[in-house]
Amino acid sequence: MQKYDLLIIGGGMVGLTLALAVRKLSSLTVAVVDNTSPCELTKDPEVRVSAINQASEQVFKNLDVWPLITNMRYQPYQGMHIWDKDAGGSLNFSAQDVDKENLGSIIENNVIRTALWQKVQADSGITIIDQKIASLGMGDSEVFASIDGQMPIMASYVVGADGANSWLRSQIDMPMTFRDYDHHALVATVNTKQHLTPTAWQVFLPSGPLAFLPLYEPGSYSIVWSTSPEQANDLAALSPEEFAKQLTSASDGKLGQLELASERYTYPLKMRLARDFMKERAILIGDAAHTIHPLAGQGVNLGLVDAAALADCFAQLSKQNQFTDINSTVALKAFARWRKNDAIEMISAMEAIKQIFAPLPLPLQTLRGFGLDLINKVKPAKQLMIKQALGEKSHLPSLSKQKENWSIT
């Protein structure tokens, strides 16, 4: 029987970040179960991208992953322009407002995972198991996993970083709070000949938000169009030319004449929140614990902070020789409360934004537009909003801070 300190189910961005973070902060041994290696990068950008904020970027820097990402391809952006299609009000955010070089970076998911994968493969304390778990048993002090075609595994803890449809969450029978947003997201890559300063654009349409995220090639954007399931299907069925016309019209031509540069994909948007993020010796992080509306692009950042925070907790327990001690439950429950509270805060914020930009009668639309323009002129209010988007908080994991500020608590 193979024995590890930690068993991670799911080798996506969050699971691999946790594995590297645990190894960075301790000498604990880790096994990651995932039978899908990263796809080879092509010359064309991947459709699925993430808006990585400064807190997540710092995690990648402290794990020595950031140079691998930047050596592939990424796009920092210095500005954000948000406007209301109906009311006409707008907000303009700039990195200069908070004395930063940029507001974040748009990176293809496969680029991030490839960089993390390379780093994981170079760490002798991390084992990749490219098979599926057949069954899982929970003892008082260990977790037992049967692996297809391999020896069983024993570990002190198991972590589910296996996505929104988490296998581990199902195995431990963890109840979920669930809400269907009744929206689908349509994602694609589009091009324009109008080359602008790297800026994230978002327009709130009556049917939902439409975001344009700048990619590494000038004039290339990843779009996320959140709308009703019916309209998403209709948009996906349009000819490339007609789709481009509708997209250009929806964005008020602010990015110039747009053209479709990829396949279009749609997926349903749902809010999920696990009742608890841990049960006995099983812990949930990332989308396995929570999913939120993508309108602010904070879902992956929330998951990466989960990973960094859990690594802090495991490292502290190991340092105090309490990793397998009964006292570990107290520390892990504190971790779970913290991360659940952050998830609830983010879910509530997304709901508030969604409601603010919901269709309104004409007089209230005018008032909403006036409110946006007013906020745009109030520098302290804008600075607060930007710092929230950057991931700046009073309570952050050690790996989300610059190295001189590291403190495992």
Side-chain angles (χ1 to χ4, degrees):
M1 180 175 290
Q2 297 171 295
K3 190 176 189 314
Y4 301 92
D5 293 308
L6 182 63
L7 172 62
I8 301 171
I9 302 176
M13 291 184 285
V14 172
L16 295 178
T17 296
L18 173 61
L20 290 171
V22 167
R23 293 291 299 162
K24 185 77 173 183
L25 300 176
S26 72
S27 59
L28 298 172
T29 56
V30 180
V32 179
V33 177
D34 196 298
N35 62 351
T36 308
S37 58
C39 300
E40 186 175 346
L41 293 177
T42 67
K43 63 179 181 64
D44 298 318
E46 185 193 12
V47 170
R48 297 294 296 270
V49 304
S50 293
I52 297 299
N53 66 20
Q54 300 245 318
S56 295
E57 178 181 321
Q58 192 62 53
V59 171
F60 291 146
K61 285 180 176 178
N62 286 329
L63 295 177
D64 301 320
V65 171
W66 192 246
L68 298 176
I69 291 173
T70 57
N71 283 340
M72 284 184 272
R73 54 203 194 198
Y74 79 120
Q75 180 58 63
Y77 60 98
Q78 290 77 47
M80 184 181 300
H81 178 66
I82 302 168
W83 76 103
D84 188 324
K85 182 80 168 179
D86 281 346
S90 64
L91 282 169
N92 290 290
F93 297 138
S94 170
Q96 293 180 348
D97 292 335
V98 287
D99 297 321
K100 299 286 186 181
E101 290 185 9
N102 57 68
L103 296 177
S105 297
I106 307 302
I107 313 173
E108 298 156 78
N109 289 0
N110 194 38
V111 167
I112 298 173
R113 188 164 182 249
T114 297
L116 290 165
W117 193 270
Q118 290 175 3
K119 201 70 179 173
V120 161
Q121 287 186 313
D123 192 317
S124 60
I126 303 175
T127 301
I128 297 288
I129 299 172
D130 60 353
Q131 300 292 332
K132 291 184 178 180
I133 295 182
S135 63
L136 188 73
M138 206 87 63
D140 291 337
S141 58
E142 291 96 12
V143 175
F144 303 90
S146 298
I147 308 292
D148 289 340
Q150 292 194 17
M151 292 178 61
I153 286 177
M154 184 169 67
S156 297
Y157 298 97
V158 59
V159 177
D162 49 345
N165 300 310
S166 171
W167 178 87
L168 179 62
R169 192 181 65 226
S170 175
Q171 292 298 303
I172 63 175
D173 197 24
M174 179 60 71
M176 296 284 291
T177 299
F178 176 92
R179 181 188 170 189
D180 192 332
Y181 286 120
D182 197 29
H183 263 196
H184 279 202
L186 183 150
V187 295
T189 303
V190 299
N191 292 333
T192 176
K193 293 180 180 178
Q194 184 173 319
H195 295 174
L196 304 166
T197 301
T199 301
W201 303 75
Q202 187 167 50
V203 54
F204 282 88
L205 307 168
S207 58
L210 165 62
F212 294 82
L213 307 175
L215 297 175
Y216 61 95
E217 291 184 342
S220 185
Y221 292 84
S222 176
I223 67 163
V224 183
W225 194 338
S226 302
T227 185
S228 69
E230 296 77 18
Q231 186 181 15
N233 290 333
D234 290 344
L235 289 168
L238 292 174
S239 68
E241 294 76 18
E242 185 58 34
F243 177 79
K245 287 180 182 178
Q246 294 224 16
L247 192 64
T248 301
S249 175
S251 59
D252 295 327
K254 292 193 177 189
L255 290 88
Q257 186 68 41
L258 297 162
E259 63 177 29
L260 184 64
S262 74
E263 297 292 327
R264 286 159 282 179
Y265 301 92
T266 64
Y267 58 93
L269 298 178
K270 300 176 182 180
M271 184 279 288
R272 301 176 181 86
L273 181 68
R275 181 178 296 177
D276 293 301
F277 287 12
M278 71 165 290
K279 183 177 181 180
E280 298 175 356
R281 292 192 164 267
I283 302 152
L284 303 174
I285 62 173
D287 284 356
H290 46 71
T291 60
I292 64 174
H293 198 287
L295 67 86
Q298 291 299 313
V300 69
N301 294 302
L302 197 61
L304 292 171
V305 174
D306 288 349
L310 185 55
D312 270 357
C313 188
F314 282 144
Q316 187 65 32
L317 290 171
S318 177
K319 182 180 179 181
Q320 296 173 350
N321 295 318
Q322 293 180 339
F323 186 68
T324 58
D325 192 274
I326 192 170
N327 294 327
S328 64
T329 303
V330 176
L332 287 167
K333 283 187 175 180
F335 154 82
R337 286 193 300 271
W338 168 25
R339 299 316 307 145
K340 186 177 181 181
N341 287 339
D342 259 18
I344 291 172
E345 181 182 308
M346 189 64 70
I347 289 168
S348 300
M350 296 306 99
E351 184 62 27
I353 294 172
K354 188 170 179 289
Q355 292 302 321
I356 288 171
F357 287 96
L360 293 172
L362 185 58
L364 293 179
Q365 287 180 20
T366 304
L367 184 61
R368 183 172 67 195
F370 174 77
L372 285 176
D373 288 336
L374 182 62
I375 292 172
N376 196 48
K377 296 175 183 177
V378 181
K379 189 172 182 179
K382 286 176 63 175
Q383 288 177 329
L384 180 61
M385 296 173 73
I386 294 171
K387 287 180 179 180
Q388 287 291 320
L390 291 171
E392 291 187 8
K393 291 190 174 184
S394 58
H395 190 192
L396 282 172
S398 63
L399 289 170
S400 296
K401 305 171 186 176
Q402 293 185 5
K403 289 188 178 182
E404 59 266 25
N405 296 324
W406 276 19
S407 176
I408 301 173
T409 56

